[in-house]
């Protein structure tokens, strides 16, 4: 194994200087490729091919949760409890540490597993020559000696020595930092991770995975370093709670020192209080909520490659959608055929089929070949021609070319492409050009796309054979889906490279609006004017992929959250620039790597499903944030005020630990809660979120003081029983706050999910039993006082819910007046 690895590394470095014959000799391979058996044997010999991150042992990862700033504080509290001979506190605090570790490990593992599953769905597929025929296999199954084909839009899956074809233009910027594309020819080496911008060639795999020239440092797409809106929101929430907690805890410490209370007891209490107050689980819970949501999106045929894209999609208010394959069926069919001069319909189909290649799986090629195969006259004649050279479609030349030899040995060329491009090859006169334009316009008025076919004559001059009409009908659900999107506050703008007449016809059919503008109408204008044009447009025609970037840029400058769909290699910059880059079904590897969401099912309805799901996930994240902030304020402010004003510790450190323990269990289930998606794009409104959280927290503080007063002045409870009394109130009322925080309207408006409801009930039964029978407490509370607490908490829960609804209306009214 060691010799094989060293040989493979050495080979990767020397491949550039070796001839093709030496390459095959060294790998004991042939230009006909490997057999399946040979490939499997080599895969076993070389081991795993994938470039993988260094795996951390689950045990090591789990133990890592025992150490860090927060675990250290819990450990310090446990040590102080042991020193003060408070063994029950010591064991319970250790239990808290263990539970926190399990929860942290479970959350990270769940999120990691979800992301790994989604990555597997996005695995790169390669075309390899196995058993003498071209097959699609996973890129991770490639082995040295495999012959593979790479073409425009592919990410090179391994280091390969090019052995056949005209040229490749590859983008190696992610690997070398070189911004300009590099041209490659036969005998050159293409490195793993490079993106093919133009051309098509075959190559022999010389190194894979960790043995590639760039190895671990190869990245498919450079990740942006800016924080997402989600990360910024988490930081704001965390800062708000941490600063508040530290400030109040320091205040208690100074007051305790001034009163000459035992320092170790005070420190122990404050350490536990700090741990319970700081929302250390906030990022993890929200990440898990997004990870669980990502799995749900995958069921809707939308695979999330970047979790924060879920939040961005919930906020999206403009969707720039491709026409072909997204709004339309992407099932091109041949409509009218217009032959030129002495050529016939069958000639147009014949030469169109010659200039097409089935194995490329190009929609235009497939449409022509399907039509040709239906005509027996064409299929019979087709056998008399042999294609000796084939140039696949190039976005620069905008045509395909084939060199052909007939049965008599004569050679000529055939080309197909855009009519204007094909006409420019010929020596046609003005009348021919007029005829071409008239046919194109006639087709366009019917929503047809024109494709011209040409061949060279005996004098090697190009002549037009004819023009085909290609038609891609709108999907049946496109019109209703666009209407749904608009009702949800998302503006849909169609983006297509087609002629403006075709775009208008399609837009009219699906009810999108006919204000379709050509890219040239705004590209040369100042940004201020261009932004207005782009904002008011219903769609864009004759757009090159590179121009999509500018469309996104202009809309973002106006404050829109932009979604952009794409499928080609040249769409990658726009997909990366957009708030939500969406690679549609059948997209190239380059587009998938740049996008944050990849669709595996064609059509616009998938995107709408993803928006609905993303908004539901956003609702869950918001609900949890409100609950977590309100709960921290409620507990911390109440305890601090009680200590400072009344010189009374309302609960013990052990009770704080129990509160934290029983709080964690149901909160994990919030990722599965029932919510209703909003009919408007979502966004983090931190002022409103903090306002409603603070309101709920302060109501909880007054409610807790009410219990303190009743227990002390009405029931005349002893200190130990009073603390158990208050503990149960904080526990029960705290979990009831979950049901208040999860809706903007009354709590009964949306039924909670069964896992969340059961988790709350079970944990509160445990909390009640602990208090009633005095388990771990100095004095039992008894069922009488426990029943009172439940009744009190339920009454305050209903009152708080009505106050919440009123407060939301007040916030909405204030926002309306502010906007005016």
């Amino acid at each position: 194994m060691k010799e094989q690895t060293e040989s493979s590394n050495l080979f990767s470095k020397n491949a550039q200087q070796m001839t093709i014959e030496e390459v095959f000799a060294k790998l004991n391979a042939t230009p006909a490729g490997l057999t399946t058996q040979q490939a499997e044997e080599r895969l076993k010999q070389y081991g795993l091919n994938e470039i993988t991150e260094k795996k951390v042992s689950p045990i090591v990862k789990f133990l890592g949760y025992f150490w860090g700033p927060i675990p250290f504080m819990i450990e310090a509290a446990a040590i102080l409890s042991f020193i003060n001979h408070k063994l029950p506190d010591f064991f319970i605090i250790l239990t808290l540490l263990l539970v926190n570790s399990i929860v942290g490990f479970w959350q990270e593992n769940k999120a990691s597993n979800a992301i790994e599953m989604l990555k597997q769905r996005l695995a790169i597929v390669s075309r390899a020559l196995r058993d003498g025929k071209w097959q699609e296999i996973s890129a991770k199954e490639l082995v040295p000696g495999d012959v593979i084909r790479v073409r425009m839009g592919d990410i090179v899956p391994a280091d390969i020595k090019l052995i056949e074809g005209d040229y490749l233009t590859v983008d190696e910027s992610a690997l070398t930092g070189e911004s300009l594309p590099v041209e490659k020819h036969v005998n050159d080496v293409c490195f793993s991770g490079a993106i093919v911008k133009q051309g098509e060639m075959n190559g022999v795999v010389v190194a894979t995975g960790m043995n590639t020239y760039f190895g671990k440092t190869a990245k498919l797409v450079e990740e942006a370093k800016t924080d997402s809106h989600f990360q910024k929101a988490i930081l704001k929430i965390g800062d708000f709670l941490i600063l508040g907690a530290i400030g109040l805890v320091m205040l208690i410490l100074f007051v305790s020192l001034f009163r000459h209370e035992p320092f170790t007891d005070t420190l122990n209490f404050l350490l536990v209080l700090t741990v319970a107050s700081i929302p250390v689980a906030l990022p993890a819970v929200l990440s898990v909520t997004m990870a669980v949501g990502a799995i749900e999106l995958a069921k809707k045929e939308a695979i999330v490659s970047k979790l924060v894209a879920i939040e961005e999609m919930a906020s999206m208010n403009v969707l720039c959608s491709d026409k072909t394959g997204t709004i339309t069926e992407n099932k091109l069919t041949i409509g009218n055929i217009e032959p030129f001069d002495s050529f016939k319909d069958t000639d147009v189909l014949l030469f169109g089929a010659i200039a097409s290649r089935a194995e490329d799986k190009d929609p235009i090629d497939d449409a022509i070949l399907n039509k040709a195969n239906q005509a027996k006259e064409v299929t019979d004649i087709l056998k008399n021609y042999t294609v000796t050279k084939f140039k696949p479609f190039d976005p620069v030349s905008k045509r395909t070319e084939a060199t052909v030899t007939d049965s008599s040995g004569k050679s000529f060329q055939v080309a197909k492409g855009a009519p204007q491009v094909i006409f420019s090859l010929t020596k046609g006169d003005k009348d021919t050009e007029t005829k071409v334009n008239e046919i194109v316009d006639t087709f366009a008025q019917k929503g047809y796309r024109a494709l011209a076919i040409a061949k060279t004559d005996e004098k090697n001059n190009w002549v037009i054979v004819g023009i085909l009409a290609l038609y891609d009908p709108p999907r049946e659900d496109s019109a209703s889906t666009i209407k749904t999107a608009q009702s949800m506050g998302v503006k849909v703008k169609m983006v297509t490279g087609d002629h403006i007449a075709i775009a208008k016809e399609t837009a009219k059919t699906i009810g999108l609006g006919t204000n379709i503008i050509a890219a040239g109408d705004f590209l040369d204008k100042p940004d201020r004017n261009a932004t207005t044009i782009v904002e008011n447009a219903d769609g864009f025609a004759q757009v090159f992929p590179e121009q999509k970037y500018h469309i996104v840029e202009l809309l973002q400058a106006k404050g829109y959250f932009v979604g952009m769909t794409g499928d080609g290699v040249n769409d990658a910059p726009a997909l990366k620039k957009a708030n939500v880059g969406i690679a549609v079904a059948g997209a190239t590897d380059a587009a998938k790597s740049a996008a944050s969401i990849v669709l595996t099912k064609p059509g616009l309805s998938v995107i709408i499903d993803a928006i609905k799901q993303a908004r539901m996930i956003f609702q869950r994240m918001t609900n949890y944030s409100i609950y977590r902030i309100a709960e921290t304020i409620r507990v911390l402010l109440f305890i601090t005020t009680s200590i400072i004003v009344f010189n009374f510790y309302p609960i013990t450190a052990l009770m704080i630990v129990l509160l934290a323990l029983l709080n964690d269990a149901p909160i994990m289930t919030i990722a599965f809660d029932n919510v209703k998606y909003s009919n408007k794009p979502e966004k983090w409104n931190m002022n409103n979120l903090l306002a409603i959280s603070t309101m709920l927290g302060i109501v909880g503080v007054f409610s807790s003081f009410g219990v303190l007063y009743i227990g002390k002045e009405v029931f005349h409870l002893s200190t130990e029983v009073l603390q158990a009394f208050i503990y149960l109130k904080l526990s029960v009322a705290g979990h009831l706050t979950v049901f208040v925080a999860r809706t903007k309207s009354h709590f009964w408006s949306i039924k909670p999910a069964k896992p969340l409801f059961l988790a709350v009930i079970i944990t509160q039964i445990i909390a009640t039993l602990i208090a009633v029978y005095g388990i771990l407490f100095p004095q039992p509370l008894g069922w009488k006082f426990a029943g009172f607490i439940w009744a009190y908490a339920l009454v305050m829960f209903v009152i708080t819910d009505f106050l919440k609804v009123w407060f939301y209306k007040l916030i909405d009214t204030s926002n309306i007046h502010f906007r005016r």
Side-chain angles (χ1 to χ4, degrees):
M1 176 68 77
K2 182 179 178 183
E3 290 177 358
Q4 290 167 345
T5 304
E6 289 176 351
S7 172
S8 183
N9 281 326
L10 178 67
F11 181 76
S12 178
K13 295 174 185 175
N14 296 335
Q16 193 79 43
Q17 288 77 39
M18 300 176 71
T19 65
I20 295 173
E21 291 76 14
E22 288 173 329
V23 168
F24 282 115
K26 186 174 181 69
L27 291 171
N28 190 25
T30 68
L34 303 175
T35 65
T36 302
Q37 185 178 354
Q38 286 175 319
E40 289 175 353
E41 289 174 355
R42 294 190 182 196
L43 190 61
K44 291 177 183 176
Q45 290 173 348
Y46 284 89
L48 295 174
N49 288 11
E50 293 179 281
I51 298 177
T52 55
E53 296 178 5
K54 187 177 180 181
K55 298 289 184 182
V56 179
S57 165
I59 296 175
V60 173
K61 189 184 293 186
F62 177 75
L63 292 175
Y65 286 96
F66 277 86
W67 198 253
I70 300 302
F72 175 76
M73 294 169 70
I74 301 175
E75 289 160 359
I79 292 169
L80 287 172
S81 297
F82 185 80
I83 293 172
N84 291 333
H85 304 291
K86 295 181 178 180
L87 294 183
D89 290 22
F90 170 73
F91 287 113
I92 292 296
I93 291 172
L94 281 184
T95 304
L96 172 63
L97 180 61
L98 182 63
V99 169
N100 277 350
S101 301
I102 292 172
V103 170
F105 175 78
W106 180 85
Q107 287 172 334
E108 182 180 323
N109 198 52
K110 190 174 183 68
S112 298
N113 289 343
I115 295 167
E116 188 60 34
M117 183 198 75
L118 298 176
K119 282 182 177 178
Q120 289 174 7
R121 294 281 299 273
L122 295 177
I124 296 173
V125 175
S126 181
R127 288 169 291 277
L129 191 58
R130 293 271 178 91
D131 298 323
K133 59 183 180 181
W134 291 102
Q135 302 178 29
E136 287 191 347
I137 63 171
S138 173
K140 68 182 181 182
E141 296 176 9
L142 292 175
V143 293
D146 265 326
V147 174
I148 68 171
R149 175 173 292 165
V150 291
R151 64 186 183 196
M152 183 182 69
D154 287 350
I155 293 173
V156 181
D159 284 359
I160 61 173
K161 180 87 168 180
L162 299 175
I163 61 173
E164 185 182 4
D166 291 329
Y167 76 99
L168 288 180
T169 302
V170 297
D171 178 2
E172 296 181 339
S173 59
L175 309 174
T176 65
E178 174 59 53
S179 59
L180 296 175
V182 180
E183 196 166 294
K184 303 278 186 177
H185 299 276
V186 171
N187 274 322
D188 288 338
V189 171
C190 253
F191 296 114
S192 172
I195 299 173
V196 181
K197 303 289 281 187
Q198 291 179 19
E200 178 177 306
M201 290 188 75
N202 295 343
V204 58
V205 174
V206 297
T208 61
M210 298 299 291
N211 295 324
T212 57
Y213 184 68
F214 287 95
K216 297 177 184 178
T217 60
K219 292 183 180 179
L220 301 184
V221 175
E222 200 85 28
E223 290 294 335
K225 300 298 181 184
T226 55
D227 290 336
S228 69
H229 294 84
F230 168 72
Q231 291 166 326
K232 290 174 181 176
I234 295 300
L235 288 173
K236 285 183 180 178
I237 294 171
D239 290 346
F240 176 78
L241 295 179
I242 291 169
L243 290 175
I246 292 174
L248 293 175
V249 165
M250 293 302 295
L251 185 60
I252 294 173
L253 179 61
F254 289 137
V255 171
S256 299
L257 291 174
F258 177 77
R259 292 173 178 169
H260 304 291
E261 295 174 356
F263 179 74
T264 54
D265 287 349
T266 302
L267 184 60
N268 181 36
F269 182 86
L270 293 181
L271 284 172
V272 173
L273 183 61
T274 304
V275 170
S277 302
I278 295 177
V280 291
L282 180 65
V285 171
L286 296 186
S287 294
V288 169
T289 302
M290 287 197 290
V292 171
I295 296 174
E296 291 300 314
L297 284 175
K299 294 176 184 176
K300 301 282 187 181
E301 306 293 339
I303 302 174
V304 178
S305 59
K306 301 175 182 68
L307 281 182
V308 292
I310 293 174
E311 181 234 348
E312 303 285 5
M313 178 159 257
S315 304
M316 185 176 73
N317 49 20
V318 171
L319 173 62
C320 296
S321 172
D322 269 345
K323 178 179 77 70
T324 306
T326 306
I327 292 176
T328 61
E329 292 184 359
N330 196 22
K331 292 180 180 177
L332 291 176
T333 56
I334 304 297
N336 296 8
I337 301 177
E338 293 286 343
F340 275 48
D341 299 330
S342 60
F343 293 106
K344 299 179 294 184
D345 288 6
T346 51
D347 294 326
V348 180
L349 279 177
L350 172 67
F351 294 116
I354 290 172
S356 304
R357 190 163 62 178
E359 63 196 55
D360 286 352
K361 296 184 177 179
D362 182 88
I364 294 177
D365 288 6
D366 289 344
I368 295 173
L369 291 171
N370 288 337
K371 186 71 173 179
N373 289 334
Q374 294 171 10
K376 188 175 185 303
E377 184 181 351
V378 174
T379 55
D380 290 342
I381 301 174
L382 201 56
K383 298 173 184 177
N384 299 325
Y385 296 96
T386 303
V387 177
T388 57
K389 190 177 181 181
F390 188 88
K391 289 183 179 179
F393 179 77
D394 183 342
V396 176
S397 65
K398 287 192 171 294
R399 67 177 187 269
T400 60
E401 282 186 25
T403 302
V404 192
T405 303
D406 62 18
S407 56
S408 65
K410 292 181 181 179
S411 182
F412 61 94
Q413 289 178 289
V414 180
K416 75 175 192 301
Q420 296 84 351
V421 173
I422 297 300
F423 176 77
S424 67
L425 294 175
T426 69
K427 296 180 179 179
D429 54 21
K430 195 71 176 176
D431 291 339
T432 305
E433 183 179 13
T434 302
K435 182 180 178 182
V436 168
N437 290 334
E438 286 176 353
I439 293 172
V440 170
D441 289 340
T442 302
F443 286 170
Q445 288 171 10
K446 298 178 181 179
Y448 292 170
R449 184 194 303 180
L451 184 78
I453 315 293
K455 68 178 290 290
T456 55
D457 57 18
E458 294 78 7
K459 297 179 181 179
N460 210 32
N461 293 324
W462 286 97
V463 292
I464 295 180
V465 177
I467 297 179
L468 295 169
L470 296 167
Y471 178 56
D472 182 16
R475 301 179 66 85
E476 291 182 0
D477 61 348
S478 288
S480 59
T481 302
I482 287 171
K483 189 175 180 180
T484 301
Q486 291 169 340
S487 70
M488 294 173 65
V490 179
K491 297 180 181 178
V492 180
K493 297 178 184 291
M494 184 172 69
V495 183
T496 179
D498 283 343
H499 191 277
I500 192 166
I502 297 174
K504 284 187 176 181
E505 182 67 25
T506 303
K508 188 191 301 180
T509 305
I510 59 177
L512 186 60
T514 55
N515 184 23
I516 309 296
I517 61 173
D521 292 346
F522 65 86
L523 285 175
D524 299 329
K525 289 183 169 54
D527 282 354
R528 180 179 296 180
N529 296 339
T531 300
T532 303
I533 294 172
V534 168
E535 185 181 16
N536 295 330
D538 295 314
F540 313 93
Q542 297 169 241
V543 176
F544 286 98
E546 305 82 49
Q547 295 165 347
K548 288 184 176 182
Y549 184 96
H550 192 47
I551 292 172
V552 174
E553 194 173 38
L554 291 171
L555 288 169
Q556 286 178 333
K558 193 73 175 177
Y560 289 103
F561 272 68
V562 183
M564 172 64 79
T565 69
D567 61 357
V569 61
N570 291 334
D571 291 330
L575 293 177
K576 193 172 180 182
K577 174 67 175 172
N579 298 94
V580 186
I582 305 168
V584 297
T588 60
D589 293 332
K592 289 178 183 178
S593 69
S596 49
I597 292 180
V598 179
L599 306 182
T600 56
K601 176 183 172 183
L604 198 62
S605 61
V606 188
I607 300 175
I608 304 304
D609 286 342
I611 293 172
K612 292 177 181 178
Q613 194 68 38
R615 291 186 184 179
M616 291 169 69
I617 295 164
F618 191 96
Q619 285 284 337
R620 294 186 185 112
M621 293 193 297
T622 304
N623 295 345
Y624 172 73
S625 300
I626 292 171
Y627 160 75
R628 182 65 264 181
I629 297 170
E631 184 67 4
T632 300
I633 292 171
R634 187 177 69 94
V635 174
L636 190 60
L637 198 58
F638 168 65
I639 292 174
T640 303
T641 308
S642 298
I643 293 171
I644 293 173
V645 177
F646 300 106
N647 192 20
F648 173 69
Y649 283 78
I651 54 176
T652 64
L654 177 61
M655 292 174 180
I656 294 174
V657 172
L658 288 173
L659 279 175
L661 273 172
L662 295 175
N663 270 350
D664 280 342
I667 292 311
M668 292 187 291
T669 62
I670 206 165
F672 306 95
D673 192 21
N674 296 327
V675 290
K676 290 181 181 178
Y677 64 83
S678 171
N679 283 324
K680 295 187 295 183
E682 298 278 12
K683 63 179 180 179
W684 286 102
N685 188 327
M686 296 309 299
N687 291 335
N688 286 1
L689 188 142
L690 293 176
I692 191 69
S693 303
T694 303
M695 185 279 283
L696 293 177
I698 290 174
V699 170
V701 171
F702 281 104
S703 171
S704 298
F705 274 114
V707 165
L708 175 60
Y709 176 83
I710 292 170
K712 194 172 184 179
E713 302 298 332
V714 177
F715 294 147
H716 304 290
L717 301 177
S718 65
T719 300
E720 289 81 5
V721 177
L722 181 58
Q723 287 177 327
F725 192 66
I726 294 171
Y727 158 77
L728 186 58
K729 188 272 172 188
L730 292 177
S731 184
V732 174
H735 275 173
L736 290 177
T737 304
V738 174
F739 299 117
V740 176
R742 58 184 294 277
T743 62
K744 284 188 176 181
S745 53
H746 292 294
F747 68 89
W748 61 79
S749 60
I750 302 175
K751 183 180 178 181
K754 188 178 290 184
L756 175 63
F757 183 76
L758 290 177
V760 169
I761 295 299
I762 291 169
T763 52
Q764 290 320 296
I765 289 173
I766 294 171
T768 302
L769 292 174
I770 289 172
V772 167
Y773 293 107
I775 303 170
L776 304 173
F777 293 175
Q779 292 288 330
L781 180 62
W783 283 106
K784 174 185 173 182
F785 295 125
F788 174 82
I789 286 295
W790 270 94
Y792 182 90
L794 287 170
V795 169
M796 288 306 303
F797 162 68
V798 174
I799 293 172
T800 305
D801 188 67
F802 276 89
L803 287 173
K804 172 204 68 178
V805 173
W806 168 79
F807 196 74
Y808 267 120
K809 290 179 181 177
L810 183 65
I811 289 175
D812 290 340
T813 304
S814 300
N815 288 338
I816 291 171
H817 286 312
F818 179 75
R819 285 195 293 269
R820 286 176 180 172

